[in-house]
């Protein structure tokens, strides 16, 4: 890795220039930078991330919690390890006291970054601020009736009715435990993590330093500089040029080349992220399930993965959940195999046929046209949409891919101004299936409104699954939901993400977590 220095005096002696150049470059280990104290150095880890905070550093603001947890500043009561196993973090354990009361026991050796002890009052404060109706995501925590401190290190959470995902919901970074004594968490974050906030340049850079009073093992690096680089090729160039030690989401087109470089290594793992298309069932003829099923049969998912993701950036989807997720019902679901004859048969049954012999399908006397909209923030979505548009055209559907900025696409979705829309979602950020299933398929919820989907059976099954404490019962009903949604096709599932992270050879201790919430940990060394 190289750092650039500005000359201080034009008449610097040649020998001094040599010393400065040497001190400005990575040494043999690539991990030290002079810190201004004679004879001492600090280790500086540099990371290029894809997404970052644009204004606030408050974890309770929208999705900012992801970014500040990824930076090692904040922690939650519970979290998921690299195997997606639920583990205590700031808690030591929990117990269901009765059908609606959960007891959470806290660690008694944790301090916030300013030295204030982390206790039950801080936990209550952190949860209540998310429950506040002014918080844009408060609806996700409306199941909580009350939260209160029993003693300094015990908290009770009372739900409005039985709610099985309660503990899982506490892993979401939006309920990161914050210091209640700090007024401006948006600009002065104060958490319990292994790293302490140093500085922030919105959308560009976040710097943190080692927390010398961390309750766990101390971080192995002294300082971390996180750059937010949205362009994937730029991230690839940064890791290749030794400008960073870790580069997030290397584009598939660059992986083989970078992997051949002796100073680099590529880590490729499955994630809990699915690419799928919302279907606007409020529009004819997409309100006909036969048409939606036909489109699903017309899509060659294997070809999408090979063409748009170079064959290893993902794998063809069956249902909504990847098969490595414990709640997946994929082994009970019959995939929509690529079958153009079946697609044309279903379309014909729905009154969509080539009546003029020109190779184009018509509906009500007009060419059958479908646009696939997607957004630019995830660059692999555009080529995936383009491949699918070509596949639809091959069976006579006029189709094109349209790429918009995220805000513009969201506006179109809210206004019902779309046919198909390709998105990528982390389907299990809290490790529980209810999060994704309820938001997308329960009547009246935001993303069910986008598609216009409503099925009374699905609503009933979701209600049973989220209230029954028996995991086997929950599995049974969530499987019913997955199979029914698969049949109804309000969403078409395309591929499951595999993420590739580029590492400098000297990096060790890095783990790619499937839910993508944890990135910077105290275990990473250089």
């Amino acid at each position: 890795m190289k750092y650039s220095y500005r000359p201080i005096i034009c008449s610097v002696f040649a020998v001094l220039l040599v010393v400065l150049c040497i001190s400005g470059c990575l040494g043999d280990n690539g991990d030290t930078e002079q810190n201004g104290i004679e004879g001492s150095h600090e280790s500086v880890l540099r990371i290029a991330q894809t997404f970052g905070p644009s204004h606030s550093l408050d974890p309770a603001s929208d999705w900012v919690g992801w970014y500040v947890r990824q930076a090692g500043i904040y922690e939650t009561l519970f979290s998921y390890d690299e195997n997606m196993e639920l583990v205590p973090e700031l808690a030591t354990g929990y117990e269901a006291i009765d059908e609606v009361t959960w007891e959470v026991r806290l660690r008694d050796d944790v301090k916030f970054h300013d030295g204030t002890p982390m206790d039950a009052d801080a936990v209550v404060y952190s949860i209540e601020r998310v429950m506040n109706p002014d918080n844009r995501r408060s609806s996700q925590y409306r199941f909580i009736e009350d939260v209160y401190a029993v003693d300094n290190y015990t908290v009770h959470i009372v739900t409005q009715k039985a709610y099985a995902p309660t503990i899982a919901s506490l892993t979401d970074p939006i309920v990161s435990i914050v210091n209640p004594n700090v007024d401006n968490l948006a600009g002065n974050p104060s958490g319990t993590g292994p790293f302490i906030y140093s500085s922030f340049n919105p959308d560009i850079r976040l710097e943190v330093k080692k927390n010398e009073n961390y309750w766990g093992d101390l971080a192995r690096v002294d300082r971390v500089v996180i750059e937010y680089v949205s362009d994937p090729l730029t991230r690839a160039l940064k890791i290749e040029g030794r400008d960073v030690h870790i580069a997030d989401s290397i584009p598939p087109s660059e992986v083989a080349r970078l992997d051949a470089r002796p100073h680099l290594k590529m880590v490729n793992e499955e994630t809990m992220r699915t690419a799928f298309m919302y279907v606007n069932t409020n529009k004819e003829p997409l309100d006909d399930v036969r048409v939606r099923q036909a489109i699903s049969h017309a899509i060659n998912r294997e070809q999408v993965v090979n063409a748009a993701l170079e064959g290893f950036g993902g794998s063809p989807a069956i249902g909504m959940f990847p098969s490595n997720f414990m709640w997946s019902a994929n082994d009970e679901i019959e995939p929509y195999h690529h079958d153009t004859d079946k697609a044309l048969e279903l379309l014909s049954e729905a009154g969509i046929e080539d009546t003029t012999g020109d190779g184009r399908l018509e509906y009500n006397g007009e060419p059958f046209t479908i646009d696939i909209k997607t957004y630019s923030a995830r660059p692999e979505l555009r080529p995936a949409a383009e491949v699918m548009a070509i596949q639809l055209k091959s069976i006579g559907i006029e189709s094109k891919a349209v790429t918009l900025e995220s805000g513009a696409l969201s506006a179109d979705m809210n206004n019902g101004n779309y046919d198909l829309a390709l998105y990528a979602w982390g389907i299990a950020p809290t490790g529980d299936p209810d999060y994704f299933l309820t938001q997308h398929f329960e009547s009246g919820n935001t993303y069910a409104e986008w598609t216009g989907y409503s099925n009374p059976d699905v609503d009933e099954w979701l209600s049973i699954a989220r209230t029954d404490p028996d995991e086997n019962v929950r599995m049974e009903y969530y499987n019913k939901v997955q199979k029914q949604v698969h049949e109804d096709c309000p969403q078409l599932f395309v591929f499951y993400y595999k993420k590739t992270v580029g590492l400098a050879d000297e990096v060790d201790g890095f783990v790619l977590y499937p839910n993508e919430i944890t990135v910077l940990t105290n275990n990473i060394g250089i």
Side-chain angles (χ1 to χ4, degrees):
M1 179 192 303
K2 297 182 180 179
Y3 304 94
S4 59
Y5 289 80
R6 296 179 180 175
I8 301 173
I9 303 175
C10 294
S11 59
V12 177
F13 291 93
V15 65
L16 180 57
L17 286 173
V18 172
V19 172
L20 285 173
C21 288
I22 293 173
S23 68
C25 298
L26 288 176
D28 292 338
N29 295 325
D31 63 353
T32 60
E33 180 175 281
Q34 193 167 340
N35 67 4
I37 301 175
E38 185 176 355
S40 63
H41 292 75
E42 65 175 1
S43 54
V44 182
L45 175 69
R46 295 179 180 266
I47 303 174
Q49 283 286 97
T50 306
F51 302 104
S54 60
H55 57 289
S56 170
L57 295 176
D58 185 344
S61 175
D62 291 327
W63 300 98
V64 173
W66 284 59
Y67 307 135
V68 288
R69 179 181 176 86
Q70 289 171 346
I73 298 172
Y74 284 103
E75 297 171 309
T76 47
L77 294 173
F78 301 89
S79 63
Y80 286 92
D81 64 15
E82 63 269 31
N83 299 312
M84 287 302 291
E85 295 289 338
L86 183 73
V87 294
E89 194 161 73
L90 296 178
T92 61
Y94 70 90
E95 180 182 357
I97 302 300
D98 56 42
E99 190 178 60
V100 297
T101 307
W102 298 82
E103 180 173 282
V104 178
R105 300 177 295 278
L106 310 177
R107 299 185 65 95
D108 62 4
D109 57 351
V110 180
K111 292 184 178 180
F112 290 108
H113 293 156
D114 66 354
T116 304
M118 189 279 297
D119 59 14
D121 288 338
V123 171
V124 171
Y125 174 80
S126 300
I127 295 174
E128 285 185 337
R129 64 199 295 267
V130 177
M131 294 167 58
N132 189 317
D134 292 337
N135 189 299
R136 289 180 57 185
R137 291 180 58 196
S138 62
S139 63
Q140 295 173 27
Y141 289 84
R142 62 190 174 197
F143 66 87
I144 298 178
E145 178 71 29
D146 193 15
V147 54
Y148 59 91
V150 177
D151 57 39
N152 284 346
Y153 297 103
T154 308
V155 171
H156 278 186
I157 298 172
V158 182
T159 60
Q160 294 184 5
K161 57 184 178 181
Y163 188 71
T166 297
I167 298 301
S169 75
L170 303 178
T171 67
D172 192 315
I174 195 172
V175 284
S176 295
I177 306 306
V178 303
N179 190 338
N181 298 319
V182 174
D183 293 329
N184 181 26
L185 289 169
N188 183 31
S190 181
T192 61
F195 292 93
I196 298 175
Y197 166 76
S198 292
S199 65
F200 174 52
N201 191 346
D203 284 323
I204 297 174
R205 175 182 299 216
L206 176 61
E207 294 194 24
V208 295
K209 61 184 179 182
K210 179 195 294 188
N211 177 5
E212 299 287 357
N213 297 308
Y214 185 55
W215 58 270
D217 294 335
L218 295 187
R220 297 173 59 198
V221 294
D222 298 310
R223 188 159 62 89
V224 183
V225 178
I226 303 172
E227 298 179 50
Y228 298 110
V229 183
S230 60
D231 181 67
L233 291 178
T234 302
R235 292 194 303 276
L237 290 172
K238 279 183 171 291
I239 191 72
E240 183 178 23
R242 298 179 182 266
D243 294 320
V244 296
H245 296 96
I246 301 174
D248 178 52
S249 296
I250 299 297
S253 61
E254 301 298 303
V255 172
R257 184 177 65 82
L258 295 181
D259 199 32
R261 303 284 285 178
H263 67 286
L264 299 177
K265 50 192 174 186
M266 301 291 113
V267 177
N268 180 261
E269 300 284 352
E270 292 182 337
T271 69
M272 293 286 109
R273 186 172 296 277
T274 300
F276 61 90
M277 291 191 290
Y278 292 100
V279 183
N280 189 349
T281 71
N282 291 313
K283 295 179 68 173
E284 293 185 357
L286 296 175
D287 59 340
D288 190 324
V289 67
R290 294 170 297 184
V291 175
R292 303 195 296 271
Q293 290 175 346
I295 294 170
S296 197
H297 277 299
I299 295 169
N300 186 335
R301 291 163 175 80
E302 189 79 37
Q303 187 179 69
V304 172
V305 168
N306 289 334
L309 305 176
E310 304 285 335
F312 57 83
S315 58
I318 300 173
M320 63 195 72
F321 295 143
S323 297
N324 64 341
F325 185 40
M326 66 168 287
W327 297 94
S328 172
N330 283 351
D331 59 352
E332 300 180 18
I333 290 175
E334 177 66 24
Y336 283 98
H337 297 292
H338 179 232
D339 187 338
T340 55
D341 290 338
K342 181 65 172 177
L344 290 170
E345 177 187 333
L346 287 166
L347 290 172
S348 178
E349 290 176 5
I352 301 172
E353 298 179 293
D354 177 8
T355 59
T356 61
D358 63 356
R360 294 189 301 174
L361 298 175
E362 293 91 32
Y363 176 69
N364 286 343
E366 299 291 333
F368 181 34
T369 301
I370 291 178
D371 287 346
I372 304 174
K373 292 186 175 181
T374 191
Y375 55 105
S376 57
R378 292 192 177 275
E380 64 280 352
L381 295 181
R382 177 175 179 174
E386 290 171 345
V387 170
M388 288 188 289
I390 292 171
Q391 292 171 350
L392 294 182
K393 289 183 73 173
S394 72
I395 67 166
I397 300 174
E398 287 295 316
S399 182
K400 67 178 183 294
V402 179
T403 303
L404 303 172
E405 293 301 315
S406 298
L409 181 54
S410 292
D412 278 353
M413 301 297 288
N414 288 324
N415 293 327
N417 182 28
Y418 79 100
D419 301 320
L420 306 178
L422 180 63
Y423 272 75
W425 266 72
I427 48 80
T430 67
D432 192 280
D434 192 74
Y435 175 87
F436 184 84
L437 294 175
T438 293
Q439 292 292 314
H440 286 81
F441 306 114
E442 185 175 61
S443 301
N445 276 331
T446 301
Y447 304 107
E449 290 285 288
W450 277 9
T451 61
Y453 183 66
S454 179
N455 185 313
D457 289 336
V458 168
D459 294 344
E460 180 183 358
W461 297 335
L462 285 172
S463 178
I464 294 171
R466 79 169 65 96
T467 56
D468 198 300
D470 188 318
E471 189 172 280
N472 292 326
V473 173
R474 299 188 71 210
M475 184 79 75
E476 175 188 352
Y477 282 95
Y478 284 137
N479 283 1
K480 285 177 177 284
V481 171
Q482 291 175 66
K483 289 185 284 188
Q484 188 64 55
V485 167
H486 185 74
E487 180 181 335
D488 293 343
C489 290
Q491 295 178 5
L492 309 182
F493 306 101
V494 183
F495 62 85
Y496 308 126
Y497 269 77
K498 290 182 179 178
K499 174 181 277 196
T500 300
V501 175
L503 305 179
D505 189 58
E506 62 268 24
V507 173
D508 68 271
F510 173 83
V511 173
L512 204 169
Y513 286 73
N515 63 3
E516 304 176 85
I517 290 176
T518 300
V519 176
L520 178 58
T521 70
N522 54 338
N523 296 319
I524 299 178
I526 50 176

